[in-house]
Amino acid sequence: MKYNILLISTLLLLLGMKALQAQEVQQSQKKINTVEIVGDTNLNYYVYPNSSSKDTSLLLNLDNENTKPNNTKKKVALVLSGGGARGIAHIGVIEELEKQGYEIVSISGTSMGALVGAVYALGKMEEFKNWIYTMDKLDTFKFIDFSFSSQGLVKGDKVLKKMKEFIPDRNIEDLKINYSATATDITNKKEVVFTKGSIYEAVRASVAIPTVFTPVKMGNSLLVDGGVMNPVPINHVKRTKGDILIVVHVNAEIPVFKPPITIDEENKRQSKYQKNIDTFQNEFNSKTKNEKLGYFKLINKTVGLLTYQISKMTIEKYPPDILINVSRESCDVFDFYKAEELVEIGQHAAINSLKEYSNKLD
């Protein structure tokens, strides 16, 4: 009974938050105080209440007057969406961007996008990738601190503390590139954008998936995953003249691309990690065995559909120069054991999108 109550409450909360965000996207008047900036407020945003554009309150960036690429420097303002394990594909995208000579000067991320963006901004991408590649070889569950509370099943502190061993926590304002992470304040019903202070605290709040990870308490705010209100935070990335706006959307409704691997390799990657995940999910799914969908599948499918719709509207409102899509069917939210495959998927998606962009310029 308690699992059904938790499930219903969670769905009502998510539906309410998504409906609120959708309504705000369609309104002709918006208030700038619906977004709380935590840290540096010099993001060069302005509200034009009397604009003649279709959206009269479009939140514009004053530096975004010229987004045509500079062919010599190819500076990039990069936006990384949330998406659970699919966010590992961001690593492949970033590696391909650097390989082709693009310079990432700013990053805005939500959830897993905030995590990968933080790792890159700290200059620790290679260490992070090497660590996540070994997820199937480790007793991964020792990093999962179960809470089984009414606010979430996992605290999420252990894995981030483990990462601190090779990724030092620093203040966002001390990073070499502009960085921001988004979270959702479910108490005050607004976005929270971190641009200053501990990058660890910012990431911890941004990845707090409702019902899975416990929320983060800050002052009078209760923070959860930024994807609840803004799964693709395009409007929070720092822009500069002549840069290229690139958005990586890992929840796209497109066919799945998967690099070829052998059955033996697939079984090797799956290993003990996936067996533990399956056991964990089956335990909770058994609580709803009389229903067609188990607890996790129902939550994942519901949140995934809501996130996709909000992402679609956001991308239409703030069209990027380059949109790199990764299928939301590439893997499930907790398939971290597929890290190598997901990095390859990200590289493949980046190659295709960058080639298409280059052809348009020609």
Side-chain angles (χ1 to χ4, degrees), residues 1-2 36 94 118 148 176 203 313 321 352-353 360 362:
M1 178 63 72
K2 64 179 182 180
E36 177 182 350
I94 290 173
F148 296 103
K176 293 182 179 180
V203 171
M313 288 189 292
D321 297 301
N352 288 342
S353 295
K360 287 181 179 179
D362 295 338

Side-chain angles (χ1 to χ4, degrees), residues 114-115 123 166 182 194 291 340 345:
L115 173 58
F166 56 91
T182 63
F194 292 88
E291 301 175 19
E340 293 184 56
I345 289 173

Side-chain angles (χ1 to χ4, degrees), residues 17-262:
M17 296 297 288
K18 293 293 185 180
L20 176 63
Q21 178 68 359
Q23 183 179 9
E24 289 179 350
V25 171
Q26 298 298 328
Q27 287 176 339
S28 61
Q29 294 293 326
K30 290 188 181 72
K31 297 180 180 179
I32 197 168
N33 62 4
T34 58
V35 178
E36 177 182 350
I37 306 297
V38 178
D40 186 4
T41 58
N42 185 27
L43 291 180
N44 296 326
Y45 286 124
Y46 188 77
V47 173
Y48 287 88
N50 297 319
S51 171
S52 60
S53 64
K54 185 175 181 180
D55 183 352
T56 59
S57 64
L58 182 62
L59 193 61
L60 296 177
N61 188 311
L62 296 182
D63 284 342
N64 190 23
E65 295 176 358
N66 178 14
T67 58
K68 294 182 179 180
N70 184 323
N71 292 327
T72 56
K73 294 183 179 181
K74 294 192 288 188
K75 294 182 178 180
V76 170
L78 184 63
V79 180
L80 305 177
S81 76
R86 289 187 297 276
I88 298 174
H90 293 316
I91 298 174
V93 171
I94 290 173
E95 288 181 341
E96 188 61 34
L97 287 173
E98 290 192 323
K99 181 179 178 181
Q100 295 198 26
Y102 291 87
E103 178 188 1
I104 300 171
V105 296
S106 63
I107 291 180
S108 177
T110 287
S111 196
M112 192 64 182
L115 173 58
V116 173
V119 170
Y120 177 78
L122 287 164
K124 298 291 184 178
M125 183 67 81
E126 192 64 26
E127 291 91 331
F128 175 72
K129 186 176 75 169
N130 291 337
W131 176 67
I132 204 168
Y133 274 9
T134 65
M135 289 289 279
D136 63 324
K137 301 175 183 177
L138 297 172
D139 184 9
T140 311
F141 266 38
K142 69 182 180 182
F143 298 125
I144 300 180
D145 40 357
F146 293 104
S147 67
F148 296 103
S149 71
S150 59
Q151 293 186 330
L153 303 175
V154 180
K155 290 181 181 179
D157 294 333
K158 282 187 178 181
V159 66
L160 289 175
K161 287 180 180 178
K162 173 62 180 179
M163 287 176 58
K164 274 188 175 182
E165 293 181 9
F166 56 91
I167 303 176
D169 184 26
R170 290 173 57 187
N171 287 330
I172 296 173
E173 61 269 29
D174 295 331
L175 300 175
K176 293 182 179 180
I177 66 174
N178 290 292
Y179 171 86
S180 68
T182 63
T184 302
D185 182 353
I186 58 175
T187 300
N188 300 296
K189 299 179 179 65
K190 62 182 179 182
E191 286 183 72
V192 174
V193 183
F194 292 88
T195 61
K196 190 175 182 180
S198 167
I199 198 167
Y200 169 86
E201 297 297 337
V203 171
R204 174 63 183 87
S206 188
V207 302
I209 303 172
T211 75
V212 178
F213 293 108
T214 54
V216 175
K217 179 72 174 176
M218 288 188 179
N220 66 343
S221 298
L222 194 62
L223 305 180
V224 299
D225 195 305
V228 172
M229 291 193 73
N230 195 350
V232 190
I234 304 174
N235 55 321
H236 298 310
V237 69
K238 176 74 174 180
R239 301 299 305 277
T240 55
K241 289 184 179 179
D243 67 7
I244 303 171
L245 176 60
I246 298 181
V247 172
V248 187
H249 181 216
V250 299
N251 299 298
E253 187 64 38
I254 60 173
V256 180
F257 164 80
K258 291 202 173 186
I261 60 173
T262 65

Side-chain angles (χ1 to χ4, degrees), residues 303-315:
V303 173
L305 181 58
L306 293 170
T307 299
Y308 170 73
Q309 293 299 330
I310 295 298
S311 299
K312 184 179 178 181
M313 288 189 292
T314 301
I315 293 170

